[in-house]
């Protein structure tokens, strides 16, 4: 440790991701809730953030990032969340599958599978780690499916096959979402769908499902992370199901940093 404050150590900079991400809005809220007037949240992307994290960890330098789990960064590095006594980041979040209002009527087979879709942090972690270790996302998804056929069968059991119907997922290039979307794209392809994966920003992702130009998104983080989007499009989408429980967002630092709480950033 040093005599410097956390702010001095990182130049009062929190390394963020894409501006539309819910965690960015939550971080703006934290800056205001904790009175972090001198602090700045930088924007970029998930990939730029994890590149900055790797660079810092390699040199054991201080860094503060917008983290979330499940994410492979917690597997690859020793990291900790900063305590959040004000609750700016909410508590235990869930990942919801969000469908267009026409989904159940127009594509009942896909709707049923998405309703059944549920996996855990370890499952998603296996796909994410394979991708970050260099595997093509589609191949990583296929390997996971091959090794977890029982789980996949439990999602598709009793659901009729279809014959080339089109299905569009919208997703953001967040590592967790890349993993889930690639897996479910394969699952729906095996069911007979012709699946398109359209990569967009967070706002347009919600808009596409709400206006029906896409069928579903798999990264509806609720109740807090995407609250603003869910409220904006209230009544224009179906909350199809919860694919994972107990997920989390928050400010994240390497274990070697001598701070434990967002309150420590005020010093
Ligand atoms: N995330 C991953 C997203 C939701 C999924 C935490 C970066 C967000 O902040 O909107």
């Amino acid at each position: 440790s040093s005599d410097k404050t956390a702010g001095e150590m990182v130049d009062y900079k929190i390394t963020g991701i894409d501006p539309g991400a819910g965690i960015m809005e939550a971080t703006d809220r934290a800056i205001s809730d904790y009175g972090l007037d001198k602090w700045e949240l930088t924007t970029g992307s998930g990939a730029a953030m994890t590149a900055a994290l790797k660079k810092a960890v390699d040199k054991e330098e201080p860094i503060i990032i917008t983290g979330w789990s499940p994410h492979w960064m917690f597997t690859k590095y020793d990291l900790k969340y900063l305590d959040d006594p004000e609750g700016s980041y909410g508590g235990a979040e869930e990942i919801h599958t969000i469908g267009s209002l026409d989904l159940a009527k127009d594509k009942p087979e896909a709707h049923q599978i998405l309703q059944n879709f549920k996996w855990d942090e370890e499952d998603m972690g296996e796909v994410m780690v394979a991708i970050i270790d260099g595997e093509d996302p589609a191949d990583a998804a296929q390997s996971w499916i091959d090794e977890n056929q029982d789980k996949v069968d439990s999602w598709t059991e009793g659901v009729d096959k279809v014959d080339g119907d089109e299905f569009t997922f919208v997703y953001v290039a967040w590592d967790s979402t890349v993993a889930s979307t690639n897996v479910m794209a394969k699952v729906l392809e095996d069911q007979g769908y012709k699946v398109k994966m359209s990569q967009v920003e967070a706002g347009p992702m919600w808009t596409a499902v709400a206006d029906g130009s896409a069928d579903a998104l798999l990264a509806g983080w609720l109740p807090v992370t995407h609250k603003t989007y869910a409220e904006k499009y209230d009544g224009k989408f179906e909350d199809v199901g919860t694919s994972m429980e107990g997920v989390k967002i928050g400010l994240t630092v390497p274990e070697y940093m001598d701070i434990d709480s967002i309150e420590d950033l005020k010093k």
Side-chain angles (χ1 to χ4, degrees):
S1 70
S2 75
D3 299 337
K4 285 187 179 174
T5 64
E8 287 164 349
M9 285 193 286
V10 299
D11 263 332
Y12 296 93
K13 191 177 87 180
I14 296 167
T15 304
I17 57 170
D18 42 298
I23 198 172
M24 298 295 277
E25 187 185 7
T27 302
D28 286 337
R29 188 163 54 234
I31 286 172
S32 137
D33 290 349
Y34 291 87
L36 306 178
D37 310 329
K38 288 197 260 179
W39 286 76
E40 182 203 352
L41 171 63
T42 66
T43 58
S45 66
M49 181 188 79
T50 50
L53 175 64
K54 179 181 190 313
K55 218 172 126 195
V57 169
D58 284 350
K59 295 190 201 149
E60 242 190 76
E61 281 173 354
I63 186 168
I64 303 180
I65 63 169
T66 54
W68 67 96
S69 34
H71 193 290
W72 59 264
M73 62 183 148
F74 288 95
T75 316
K76 296 274 178 188
Y77 309 117
D78 285 328
L79 304 174
K80 61 185 174 187
Y81 282 107
L82 295 182
D83 290 341
D84 173 24
E86 297 284 345
S88 307
Y89 292 91
E93 288 277 279
E94 298 175 343
I95 307 180
H96 290 235
T97 299
I98 305 296
S100 76
L101 284 183
D102 290 335
L103 180 62
K105 173 168 55 76
D106 291 352
K107 297 165 191 180
E109 297 84 3
H111 181 263
Q112 182 64 58
I113 293 170
L114 291 176
Q115 232 173 14
N116 296 341
F117 170 45
K118 201 172 186 55
W119 62 345
D120 60 31
E121 181 151 0
E122 203 186 312
D123 295 319
M124 191 195 257
E126 287 170 13
V127 183
M128 272 191 289
V129 168
I131 295 171
I132 200 64
D133 284 346
E135 215 177 323
D136 179 74
D139 295 341
Q142 188 61 58
S143 306
W144 185 87
I145 289 170
D146 293 344
E147 283 155 28
N148 294 273
Q149 199 59 59
D150 290 0
K151 208 163 264 186
V152 175
D153 288 347
S154 76
W155 305 334
T156 58
E157 207 184 325
V159 181
D160 290 338
K161 297 270 184 194
V162 301
D163 187 18
D165 299 13
E166 295 193 351
F167 191 96
T168 302
F169 280 117
V170 268
Y171 74 106
V172 180
W174 299 315
D175 294 297
S176 44
T177 307
V178 169
S180 55
T181 309
N182 272 275
V183 167
M184 290 316 284
K186 287 265 175 220
V187 169
L188 292 189
E189 271 166 18
D190 290 343
Q191 199 69 20
Y193 285 95
K194 192 165 164 283
V195 179
K196 194 174 131 201
M197 291 176 49
S198 172
Q199 190 192 312
V200 294
E201 296 292 321
M205 173 177 79
W206 275 85
T207 308
V209 172
D211 72 15
S213 57
D215 294 299
L217 63 90
L218 299 176
W221 280 49
L222 295 166
V224 170
T225 313
H226 289 169
K227 184 175 199 267
T228 302
Y229 292 125
E231 281 178 357
K232 179 173 177 191
Y233 294 115
D234 188 31
K236 299 201 167 83
F237 61 85
E238 182 194 341
D239 188 345
V240 176
T242 303
S243 66
M244 201 181 294
E245 283 158 10
V247 304
K248 185 174 166 67
I249 62 172
L251 290 185
T252 304
V253 300
E255 282 281 3
Y256 54 73
M257 281 182 75
D258 205 7
I259 51 173
D260 294 300
S261 169
I262 303 175
E263 291 196 309
D264 297 333
L265 306 185
K266 280 193 285 196
K267 291 173 194 156

